[in-house]
Amino acid sequence: MPVCYEEGFSPFSNPGERPDGSMDYVVISGISCRLPESENMEEFKKHLMRGDNMVTENRRWEPVSHGLSSKSGTLADISKFDAAFFGVPPKLADSMDPQLRVMLELTHEALVDSVT
């Protein structure tokens, strides 16, 4: 459904304020995250409560070659991505920045969480 703006109203003006003084609010109150060695907040909480060290040996690149520390807090698995669900062709999914794939997943999860 196309969005039509009243004359003089811009989505870049004061958020929610309309020319007639009335207010419109849109709130998405869902949350989702990926944290070191955890797939979600609950798993991260369990690690914290057990006192687990989530800073691990760097397993993605050679630290010497980039001048980086040998240890880091990294995401557990960034290889899982349902390209078909997001309508991304397999070739494109293979070449996508992993951060973009994670962002798509987190956005979807946050929207789903906002409904529950």
Side-chain angles (χ1 to χ4, degrees):
M1 179 179 199
V3 176
C4 298
Y5 296 108
E6 296 174 17
E7 186 176 332
F9 177 75
S10 164
F12 305 107
S13 60
N14 192 1
E17 190 174 328
R18 300 177 65 80
D20 64 1
S22 65
M23 302 291 280
D24 287 337
Y25 295 100
V26 174
V27 176
I28 299 174
S29 60
I31 189 167
S32 184
C33 62
R34 295 286 187 282
L35 299 160
E37 302 303 319
S38 309
E39 289 293 318
N40 53 47
M41 285 188 304
E42 286 302 314
E43 192 175 335
F44 186 68
K45 179 182 173 183
K46 288 177 188 174
H47 284 302
L48 290 176
M49 297 306 223
R50 288 192 308 243
D52 294 344
N53 184 357
M54 291 168 281
V55 176
T56 59
E57 289 295 324
N58 200 329
R59 58 185 178 260
R60 296 211 178 110
W61 51 81
E62 292 295 321
V64 176
S65 65
H66 299 292
L68 302 172
S69 171
S70 63
K71 295 187 177 193
S72 63
T74 57
L75 299 181
D77 186 8
I78 59 171
S79 64
K80 295 185 265 179
F81 179 68
D82 189 350
F85 177 80
F86 291 102
V88 178
K91 268 186 168 178
L92 179 59
D94 289 340
S95 64
M96 278 174 82
D97 184 330
Q99 293 178 16
L100 179 57
R101 295 193 304 252
V102 170
M103 185 207 57
L104 286 170
E105 292 170 341
L106 292 175
T107 303
H108 176 261
E109 290 171 13
L111 288 169
V112 169
D113 184 66
S114 70
V115 177
T116 58

